[in-house]
Amino acid sequence: MDFSTDEVNFFKQLFSERPPEVNSVKRHAITVQTQIPSGLATILSQSNLTLLAQGEGYKLWIPLHLELDEFGGFKPNLGTPEVIDINGCDRSWRVNTPIDVTLWDQADKLLVNILSLSSTGLMVSMQDVSYPSESLFGKVLNLHLPNEVCVELELEPVRVNSHIFAAKFKCLGHGQESIRKFLFNLHRSRNADLYRDIGLV
């Protein structure tokens, strides 16, 4: 992707480096990426540019949209970051047993326990072990997030073990953004020092 001189100057000004901190123990960086990693392309599908902020143990891929203001200048519009856990292999950050988050099969009035949740998948435990977990696949399920946000999604099995299974999901509508926003806010509240260090607080 080629940028005009105005765009290059805009990026230089927007992302000019701060002077190095004296005796800084932690190293954090923020860079502009013009290509989204293939594993994140479906999650950040509406973005052409991303900012990459790296901190200890995590990467934050931040969608960036450039808009023109009324004077013809560029106005950056930052989306909700996707948090990537880089401890081990890179994967979307997941929260274990999220509080106030439930998954319902409305048709059968079945509540499913969520053991972990990321922006791309989840691991669940069936409360009713007599209910076959396969019956959840291919159905539209309701994921209830805090603040009365409800996301409709469909599950695709990854691993099934007795009444516990892992699944990828496909969100219907704009649900992916709601899940990503919930996870980002939760991650930020649990890692305030990291976000302060990379200047995102």
Side-chain angles (χ1 to χ4, degrees):
M1 175 183 288
D2 294 327
F3 294 107
S4 69
T5 305
D6 288 343
E7 290 171 322
V8 171
N9 291 335
F10 169 76
F11 284 124
K12 283 181 181 177
Q13 181 183 0
L14 185 63
F15 307 111
S16 59
E17 294 184 32
R18 291 183 291 181
E21 297 176 13
V22 180
N23 298 327
S24 177
V25 178
K26 296 179 183 175
R27 294 248 168 179
H28 306 289
I30 190 164
T31 57
V32 179
Q33 301 286 324
T34 58
Q35 293 198 355
I36 299 170
S38 59
L40 297 178
T42 55
I43 301 170
L44 305 176
S45 59
Q46 301 302 315
S47 180
N48 294 325
L49 297 172
T50 57
L51 297 179
L52 171 60
Q54 289 188 247
E56 192 173 325
Y58 299 100
K59 290 180 183 176
L60 301 174
W61 288 94
I62 308 165
L64 171 64
H65 308 279
L66 293 179
E67 300 172 356
L68 290 175
D69 63 20
E70 62 271 21
F71 304 108
F74 288 109
K75 181 174 71 172
N77 183 1
L78 299 177
T80 304
E82 173 67 13
V83 182
I84 300 296
D85 187 342
I86 57 175
N87 295 312
C89 60
D90 287 14
R91 65 179 191 178
S92 293
W93 178 74
R94 60 197 62 217
V95 58
N96 292 324
T97 55
I99 298 171
D100 295 331
V101 178
T102 57
L103 183 65
W104 282 91
D105 176 353
Q106 291 294 91
D108 294 324
K109 304 296 183 201
L110 179 73
L111 176 65
V112 181
N113 290 330
I114 300 176
L115 303 178
S116 69
L117 174 69
S118 77
S119 62
T120 57
L122 43 70
M123 183 174 287
V124 300
S125 171
M126 304 293 290
Q127 284 188 341
D128 181 358
V129 294
S130 64
Y131 187 88
S133 58
E134 302 82 34
S135 61
L136 289 179
F137 303 127
K139 277 187 175 178
V140 175
L141 303 174
N142 292 319
L143 180 71
H144 293 271
L145 299 171
N147 301 324
E148 300 181 8
V149 175
C150 181
V151 175
E152 290 187 331
L153 46 83
E154 293 177 350
L155 301 182
E156 177 187 329
V158 175
R159 287 186 314 277
V160 178
N161 181 11
S162 183
H163 63 286
I164 295 175
F165 67 87
K168 295 187 292 186
F169 56 72
K170 180 177 73 173
C171 293
L172 308 177
H174 300 289
Q176 186 110 48
E177 177 72 13
S178 299
I179 294 172
R180 195 163 75 238
K181 195 171 289 190
F182 164 72
L183 291 168
F184 169 68
N185 288 333
L186 189 58
H187 188 266
R188 184 171 51 182
S189 69
R190 293 184 179 184
N191 298 276
D193 290 343
L194 169 70
Y195 286 84
R196 205 171 9 262
D197 287 345
I198 58 179
L200 293 177
V201 172

